[in-house]
Amino acid sequence: MAAEIAKLGHTALVTPNMEKSLWFFRDVIGLEEVDHQGDTVFLRAWGDWEHHTLSLTPGSEARVDHMAWRAKQASDVDLFAEQLKAQGTPIQWIEPGEEKGQGRAIRFRLPNGYPFEIYYDIEKPKAPEDKKSRLKNNVYRPSNGIAPRRIDHVNVWTSNPGEVHQWLSDNMGFKMRESVRLSNGFVAGGWMSVTPLVHDIGVMLDPKGQSSRLHHLAYYMDNVTDILRAADILREYNIPLEMGGPGRHGISQAFFLYVKDPGSGHRLELFSGGYLIFDPDWEPIEWSEQELDSGLIWYGPQGSMEDTTPC
């Protein structure tokens, strides 16, 4: 039986200004501070059950330490390790507790350099009594800052997206949901998932030709009104809104708001709407180069967001 990925687990970021990044993600965005390990701080949204969906670690420059994916069962971690070693991909074993709250895991890099982690065992701590939701199917009461519900996806840039799309499909079971094909036949972007979400990861062409950069990580808001409220909160703190404010993507049909962590420059997308895919015979939707403007921005602000942080 082939090993399978269940979902996106967390993103581990390094920041040159830990104090400001923690203020941004905890006090303004409203992620809950869960735990510490040395200088690393672990956070999650009020609807996230796992120990953490984001970690922040101080460092000399902004970068991505790893993007983590949860396997469908514990034995899949070993199966992925065997599969990767068989094709010549170096792996690093992470022992239980080495990343706090998490069991045994593997870390490796995709051919273009993206740093991935695969794990299964993870703690699911309860919220403190003074923050605990009375709804048994929630973790926290949503009461702090912008307060997104849960982690949603990551978006990464590379010089050859098609190569990464194929690798993710062949080795981790990702399915293409939507894509952009240029007039010369080159696939410039793909939105892929292992869940019913329209994408757990987006892999896009880097116009600067770099092989592995994080464009953004995304957290999910329940509705577009929450996106507008988020814009108001960010402006109250004098934090610039990228491209001037919220809009809607054609691809994924989602409402969006982009903002940068002022401590690191890591980009965050607050994401709402979209659609779910349940059809087992889903046919990927392809957008042409001539349709690209509508695909990226259905309506809302226009602008460029080419600067990203290294993986």
Side-chain angles (χ1 to χ4, degrees):
M1 180 179 290
E4 294 182 275
I5 295 295
K7 67 183 188 72
L8 175 64
H10 56 266
T11 307
L13 301 179
V14 177
T15 171
N17 190 330
M18 184 67 174
E19 182 179 2
K20 189 172 285 187
S21 292
L22 185 57
W23 167 79
F24 173 74
F25 282 106
R26 181 190 61 198
D27 301 335
V28 179
I29 299 303
L31 299 185
E32 297 288 347
E33 185 175 339
V34 179
D35 214 336
H36 298 75
Q37 186 175 33
D39 293 332
T40 298
V41 177
F42 298 96
L43 305 104
R44 61 179 174 174
W46 60 265
D48 285 325
W49 290 86
E50 293 192 6
H51 180 269
H52 58 282
T53 53
L54 175 68
S55 69
L56 298 173
T57 301
S60 59
E61 61 181 8
R63 63 178 179 84
V64 179
D65 186 78
H66 63 271
M67 293 168 269
W69 304 88
R70 192 177 189 203
K72 280 200 171 179
Q73 51 189 355
S75 59
D76 283 344
V77 177
D78 293 291
L79 288 175
F80 274 118
E82 293 171 9
Q83 174 182 306
L84 291 166
K85 284 191 291 186
Q87 66 181 31
T89 301
I91 65 166
Q92 174 191 1
W93 280 102
I94 306 299
E95 295 304 321
E98 191 172 335
E99 179 174 343
K100 199 162 186 183
Q102 181 179 279
R104 197 164 180 249
I106 56 171
R107 290 185 190 165
F108 58 96
R109 288 185 178 266
L110 271 61
N112 74 316
Y114 293 147
F116 272 19
E117 178 180 79
I118 297 176
Y119 68 97
Y120 176 76
D121 291 319
I122 190 79
E123 294 178 11
K124 296 183 178 181
K126 296 180 179 179
E129 284 300 320
D130 62 336
K131 294 186 175 183
K132 184 178 179 181
S133 174
R134 293 180 61 239
L135 281 171
K136 299 183 75 171
N137 48 13
N138 270 354
V139 184
Y140 295 86
R141 296 193 306 271
S143 59
N144 181 39
I146 289 170
R149 176 182 283 270
R150 57 169 173 78
I151 194 171
D152 194 87
H153 67 268
V154 290
N155 183 293
V156 292
W157 286 19
T158 185
S159 55
N160 191 348
E163 177 186 41
V164 179
H165 299 153
Q166 193 64 54
W167 197 95
L168 290 172
S169 174
D170 292 345
N171 295 281
M172 295 180 69
F174 280 85
K175 296 178 181 179
M176 184 66 73
R177 304 307 194 177
E178 300 198 42
S179 64
V180 172
R181 187 178 297 273
L182 303 183
S183 299
N184 62 6
F186 188 83
V187 177
W191 288 255
M192 306 182 76
S193 68
V194 289
T195 69
L197 297 178
V198 66
H199 66 312
D200 299 305
I201 187 170
V203 182
M204 315 295 294
L205 174 66
D206 187 336
K208 295 183 179 179
Q210 298 190 36
S211 61
S212 61
R213 293 197 289 169
L214 173 71
H215 187 264
H216 64 263
L217 68 153
Y219 277 81
Y220 186 81
M221 311 291 294
D222 280 347
N223 55 62
V224 68
T225 305
D226 290 338
I227 298 287
L228 298 176
R229 175 178 172 272
D232 280 335
I233 291 173
L234 291 164
R235 293 306 298 131
E236 287 286 354
Y237 285 102
N238 202 31
I239 297 173
L241 310 179
E242 287 205 275
M243 300 193 301
R248 193 180 191 198
H249 295 305
I251 296 167
S252 82
Q253 299 185 25
F255 291 94
F256 66 82
L257 176 63
Y258 291 100
V259 62
K260 281 186 176 181
D261 163 27
S264 66
H266 291 303
R267 181 180 289 110
L268 172 70
E269 181 184 22
L270 298 172
F271 181 95
S272 186
Y275 62 92
L276 300 176
I277 297 170
F278 299 105
D279 294 347
D281 57 349
W282 176 264
E283 292 291 333
I285 294 168
E286 186 173 281
W287 296 71
S288 70
E289 185 172 351
Q290 291 71 31
E291 299 167 320
L292 183 55
D293 287 347
S294 295
L296 294 179
I297 307 294
W298 184 239
Y299 57 77
Q302 304 289 325
S304 173
M305 295 192 301
E306 293 185 4
D307 51 322
T308 57
T309 49
C311 290

